[in-house]
Amino acid sequence: MPLFLNRTRFDKDGVFGELTDESGERLAFTLEHSYDGEPKVPPGIYACVRGKHELHSGPIETFEVTGVEGHSGILFHVGNFNADSNGCILLGDGEAPGMVTKSRDAFARFMAFCDGLDSFT
């Protein structure tokens, strides 16, 4: 199953976008840390694989974006601000200046959408 990360804004507060399904339905707003105006994950097609990971907040089950040259551990997870990401993709229900909002709700909905999947592209 393909999902699409459509980046819409690159600014000092990070790289903002939307995660959509194959029909174009928005699943979540996204925020990634900006590295000189660019995200860690360049445009392309990647396998995103379910697994258990350790974050500063504790263990989490989520999806890792694999095959990113020179990087590993790029996850979809909860967070509101650029500083909450070290290249990972933060999920939110909306956007406010410099942040995504209601991240826990968006992440829970994303994981429910992916229920039963071990991976997606």
Side-chain angles (χ1 to χ4, degrees), residues 86-102:
N86 189 21
C88 294
I89 302 165
L90 307 177
L91 302 174
D93 267 351
E95 287 184 0
M99 67 182 293
V100 291
T101 61
K102 297 184 180 178

Side-chain angles (χ1 to χ4, degrees), residues 27-102:
L27 302 174
F29 288 91
T30 63
L31 174 58
E32 299 166 80
H33 191 81
S34 174
Y35 297 89
D36 295 323
E38 297 295 326
K40 269 190 180 176
V41 181
I45 299 173
Y46 300 93
C48 300
V49 179
R50 182 187 294 269
K52 294 187 189 292
H53 300 274
E54 190 70 33
L55 293 177
H56 63 277
S57 59
I60 182 175
E61 183 171 320
T62 189
F63 289 84
E64 178 180 3
V65 182
T66 64
V68 180
E69 188 173 333
H71 301 288
S72 62
I74 299 175
L75 308 174
F76 289 87
H77 68 80
V78 171
N80 298 102
F81 299 96
N82 189 1
D84 297 331
S85 170
N86 189 21
C88 294
I89 302 165
L90 307 177
L91 302 174
D93 267 351
E95 287 184 0
M99 67 182 293
V100 291
T101 61
K102 297 184 180 178

